[in-house]
């Protein structure tokens, strides 16, 4: 496949994801997984899970896993294409919505829309975590890391970076046993 | 907004959002509130919560939407671009470096094992994020059913997300509309 075709594919995939990513980029992880792994076969599910981990461990919005996918598929231009496609359409919509916000805020329909969308977003977010865990799973010990991270992050106000760093250490140790 | 405070200029917007982007290991939202509300006093708590809610119901990355709202409020379209540039450009540069390093050493078995473990923990963090939202909301059972249906649609039945949103969003909004009476 020639490089410009790949850029067009990237732009198409992420522009669509941008517009359906209600609840944030994490809510479309399942769809991202489907497009990247199954539809376009750009990488394996495990590879995607690892890129996701790299993005989580880097500073910045977690949606930047999109930049890494772009890089993996088509180098620096792919990184730019994927990032712009993921942020452009939704940002344009956000700009228009921001204008309307002042005028409509407090209206009953707006309040109902906010309250009614939250549970959908929450269900999708939790499902995306389960799907990422499923994709990254290689051995029984992994399940323990997943559950421990979820419990500690829910129950404490610990900086998530400590949880990721601890997991990295555990992973290093597991490589020797 | 206190009227006495001059609105931030383009440079301030860019730098403020760059700081949020570069501080945000494992998610930017906590830093977004701290920097915009407490440190720079661009927004008060109520304004921040309102913009965050809108950013969440609109499609797209929440923090990116937030940067568009704030930039546009103070400096119009060019302000939105300055904020967007701040939240995206510096972290993209960092992550490009990370990607280079990953390309060089990523296939080493030790690195693979460590990153595999981090991937599991990162997935756990996402579940925790959802759990924290659940814990903070005043749940009434019909909306909890909507959340459960959204979860099951994706995690159990593997349905396409856009159909789940199209099917469940009207149900959720209708329930919230009736409960608002």
């Amino acid at each position: 496949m020639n490089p410009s075709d790949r850029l067009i594919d990237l732009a198409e995939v992420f522009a669509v994801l941008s517009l359906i990513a209600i609840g944030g980029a994490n809510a479309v992880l399942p769809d991202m997984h489907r497009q990247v792994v199954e539809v376009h076969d750009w990488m394996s599910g495990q590879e995607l899970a690892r890129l996701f981990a790299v993005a989580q461990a880097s500073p910045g919005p977690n949606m930047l896993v999109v930049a890494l996918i772009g890089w993996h598929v088509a180098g620096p231009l792919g990184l730019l294409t994927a990032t712009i496609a993921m942020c452009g359409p939704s940002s344009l919509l956000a700009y228009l919505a921001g204008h309307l916000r002042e005028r409509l805020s407090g209206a009953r329909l707006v309040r109902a829309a906010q309250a009614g969308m939250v549970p959908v977003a929450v269900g999708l977010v939790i499902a995306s975590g389960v799907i990422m865990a499923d994709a990254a799973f290689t051995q029984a010990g992994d399940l323990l890391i997943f559950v421990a991270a979820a419990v500690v992050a829910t129950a404490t106000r610990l900086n998530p970076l400590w949880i990721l760093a601890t997991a990295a250490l555990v992973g290093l140790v597991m490589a020797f046993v | 907004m206190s009227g006495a405070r001059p609105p931030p200029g383009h440079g301030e917007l860019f730098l403020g959002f760059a700081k949020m982007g570069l501080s945000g290991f494992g998610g930017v939202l906590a830093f977004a509130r701290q920097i915009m509300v407490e440190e720079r006093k661009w927004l008060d708590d109520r304004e921040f919560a309102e913009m965050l809610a809108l950013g969440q119901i609109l499609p797209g990355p929440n923090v990116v939407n937030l940067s568009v709202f704030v930039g546009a409020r103070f400096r119009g379209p060019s302000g939105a671009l300055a904020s967007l540039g701040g939240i995206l450009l510096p972290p993209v540069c960092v992550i490009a470096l990370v990607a280079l390093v990953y390309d060089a050493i990523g296939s080493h078995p030790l690195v693979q094992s460590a990153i595999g473990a981090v991937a599991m923990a990162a997935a756990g963090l996402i579940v925790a994020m959802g759990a924290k939202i659940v814990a903070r909301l005043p749940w009434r059972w019909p909306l909890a059913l909507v959340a459960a249906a959204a979860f099951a649609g994706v995690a159990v039945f593997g349905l396409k997300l856009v159909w789940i949103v199209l099917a469940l969003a009207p149900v959720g909004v209708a329930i919230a509309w009736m409960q608002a009476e």
Side-chain angles (χ1 to χ4, degrees):
Chain A
M1 181 184 265
N2 79 51
S4 66
D5 282 351
R6 292 192 146 211
L7 291 181
I8 291 169
D9 280 350
L10 279 171
E12 214 176 280
V13 164
F14 288 112
V16 171
L17 288 177
S18 172
L19 287 176
I20 62 171
I22 291 171
N26 284 338
V28 287
L29 284 178
D31 259 18
M32 205 182 290
H33 182 271
R34 181 198 307 274
Q35 288 292 330
V36 169
V37 177
E38 290 163 34
V39 177
H40 291 280
D41 199 19
W42 282 326
M43 65 190 75
S44 70
Q46 269 192 28
E47 183 68 24
L48 178 60
R50 294 211 174 90
L51 291 187
F52 179 73
V54 171
Q56 282 265 314
S58 307
N62 290 336
M63 52 74 53
L64 286 180
V65 65
V66 163
L68 288 175
I69 294 169
W71 177 282
H72 183 97
V73 173
L77 273 181
L79 179 148
L80 277 179
T81 304
T83 308
I84 292 170
M86 188 69 198
C87 295
S90 60
S91 293
L92 211 57
L93 199 63
Y95 182 78
L96 298 174
H99 261 315
L100 285 175
R101 188 185 80 92
E102 319 271 338
R103 208 179 308 166
L104 299 178
S105 73
R108 186 178 163 197
L109 184 61
V110 176
R111 278 184 287 133
Q114 292 187 0
M117 286 303 302
V118 169
V120 181
V122 168
L124 296 178
V125 162
I126 296 179
S128 65
V130 171
I131 284 186
M132 287 313 292
D134 187 48
F137 183 85
T138 52
Q139 52 180 312
D142 285 349
L143 201 61
L144 208 63
I145 298 175
F146 170 66
V147 172
V151 168
V152 172
T154 306
T156 71
R157 306 178 124 258
L158 195 66
N159 187 326
L161 203 60
W162 290 112
I163 296 172
L164 298 180
T166 307
L169 277 177
V170 172
L172 281 177
V173 172
M174 281 185 355
F176 290 104
V177 288
Chain B
M1 287 298 296
S2 63
R5 208 175 172 83
H10 293 87
E12 284 174 84
L13 286 170
F14 181 89
L15 289 176
F17 277 98
K19 185 173 177 187
M20 286 172 231
L22 291 176
S23 309
F25 283 94
V28 172
L29 272 182
F31 295 95
R33 191 196 156 277
Q34 197 233 322
I35 290 173
M36 284 195 283
V37 178
E38 288 176 16
E39 184 186 305
R40 315 217 162 182
K41 299 188 168 54
W42 291 347
L43 306 170
D44 62 30
D45 260 312
R46 189 184 53 81
E47 289 167 326
F48 179 79
E50 279 178 10
M51 286 191 181
L52 183 59
L54 185 61
Q56 277 173 329
I57 61 169
L58 289 174
N62 295 336
V63 168
V64 174
N65 286 342
L66 201 58
S67 73
V68 170
F69 298 147
V70 174
R73 154 181 269 195
F74 292 122
R75 296 288 161 182
S78 60
L81 282 177
S83 302
L84 258 180
I87 198 81
L88 289 176
L89 276 181
V92 161
C93 293
V94 172
I95 215 168
L97 286 176
V98 172
L100 276 178
V101 174
Y102 183 68
D103 277 353
I105 63 167
S107 57
H108 191 283
L110 274 180
V111 178
Q112 292 267 316
S113 184
I115 292 185
V118 173
M120 293 306 290
L125 292 184
I126 289 186
V127 172
M129 189 174 85
K132 277 185 167 171
I133 299 174
V134 168
R136 240 185 283 133
L137 289 172
W139 287 91
R140 281 180 268 191
W141 68 267
L143 286 180
L145 277 186
V146 172
F151 172 81
V154 176
V156 182
F157 300 108
L159 297 176
K160 260 182 101 84
L161 192 125
V162 61
W163 302 123
I164 294 170
V165 171
L166 286 177
L168 290 179
V171 177
V173 173
I175 293 169
W177 173 271
M178 289 185 292
Q179 285 182 342
E181 275 177 326

